[in-house]
């Protein structure tokens, strides 16, 4: 079986249950406003995109981990980059569901802010740093 087919299968293996069971794992908070009929399809669209991103992230983690091991690319910087990319892909599904489940509880909102928002900022910074380091230096401005 081709690697791309395997990756698509693993992606769907995680994405479909994520889409189907998100509201079961994180039921709506009692104080959360319900979307209008016009808004509902857009919320479904976001849920599909987040579930697919979760599936892609899990596929990236499973298939990428073996490549990281084979390449012996386990030094802290490359491992941080690998884990950052994984987190940037998988975190949206639990993140959005936790917001909906949390409702207007400010204590829970602070947990979400630090658990997801801060870690996503850190992950994006790591990816940006490695991108910056990968660029040719002869025509770039030194910082």
């Amino acid at each position: 079986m081709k690697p791309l087919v395997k990756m698509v299968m693993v992606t769907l293996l995680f994405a479909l249950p994520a889409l189907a069971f998100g509201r079961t794992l994180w039921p709506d908070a009692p104080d959360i406003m319900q979307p209008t009929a016009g808004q509902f399809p857009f919320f479904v669209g976001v849920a599909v995109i987040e579930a697919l991103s979760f599936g892609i992230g899990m596929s990236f983690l499973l298939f990428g981990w073996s490549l990281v091991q084979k390449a012996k690319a386990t030094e802290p910087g490359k491992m941080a980059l690998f884990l950052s990319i994984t987190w940037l892909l998988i975190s949206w599904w639990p993140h959005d569901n936790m917001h909906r489940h949390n409702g207007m509880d400010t204590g829970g909102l602070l947990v979400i802010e630090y658990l997801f928002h801060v870690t996503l900022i850190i992950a994006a910074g790591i990816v940006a740093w490695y991108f910056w380091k990968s660029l040719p230096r002869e025509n770039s401005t030194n910082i």
Side-chain angles (χ1 to χ4, degrees), residues 66-82:
S66 63
L67 294 175
V68 167
Q69 296 295 77
K70 285 178 188 173
K72 298 187 181 2
T74 55
E75 61 260 20
K78 287 185 180 170
M79 187 56 66
L81 179 60
F82 173 73

Side-chain angles (χ1 to χ4, degrees), residues 3 8-9 11 19 21 23 32 35 39 46-47 49-50 52 55 60 67 72 83 88 96 112 117 125 130 133:
V8 168
M9 289 175 61
T11 295
L19 185 61
F21 297 112
R23 288 180 119 48
I32 196 157
Q39 294 169 333
V46 167
I49 291 166
E50 289 169 344
L52 283 171
F60 179 81
L67 294 175
K72 298 187 181 2
L83 293 174
L88 287 165
D96 197 36
I112 293 167
H117 296 202
Y130 272 86
K133 284 178 52 172

Side-chain angles (χ1 to χ4, degrees), residues 4-119:
L4 181 59
V5 172
K6 288 181 185 178
M7 292 176 75
V8 168
M9 289 175 61
V10 169
T11 295
L12 294 175
L13 178 70
F14 284 94
L16 294 175
L19 185 61
F21 297 112
R23 288 180 119 48
T24 303
L25 294 172
W26 294 286
D28 288 350
D31 60 346
I32 196 157
M33 293 175 50
Q34 295 302 310
T36 66
Q39 294 169 333
F40 184 76
F42 294 101
F43 280 107
V44 170
V46 167
V48 169
I49 291 166
E50 289 169 344
L52 283 171
S53 181
F54 179 76
I56 291 167
M58 293 304 292
S59 184
F60 179 81
L61 176 65
L62 295 173
F63 291 104
W65 180 251
S66 63
L67 294 175
V68 167
Q69 296 295 77
K70 285 178 188 173
K72 298 187 181 2
T74 55
E75 61 260 20
K78 287 185 180 170
M79 187 56 66
L81 179 60
F82 173 73
L83 293 174
S84 293
I85 293 168
T86 302
W87 185 240
L88 287 165
L89 287 166
I90 68 171
S91 66
W92 299 104
W93 174 66
H95 177 192
D96 197 36
N97 280 292
M98 285 180 75
H99 269 297
R100 188 182 34 73
H101 177 72
N102 181 70
M104 300 306 294
D105 173 33
T106 55
L109 184 60
L110 277 172
V111 170
I112 293 167
E113 291 291 321
Y114 281 91
L115 184 63
F116 292 102
H117 296 202
V118 171
T119 60

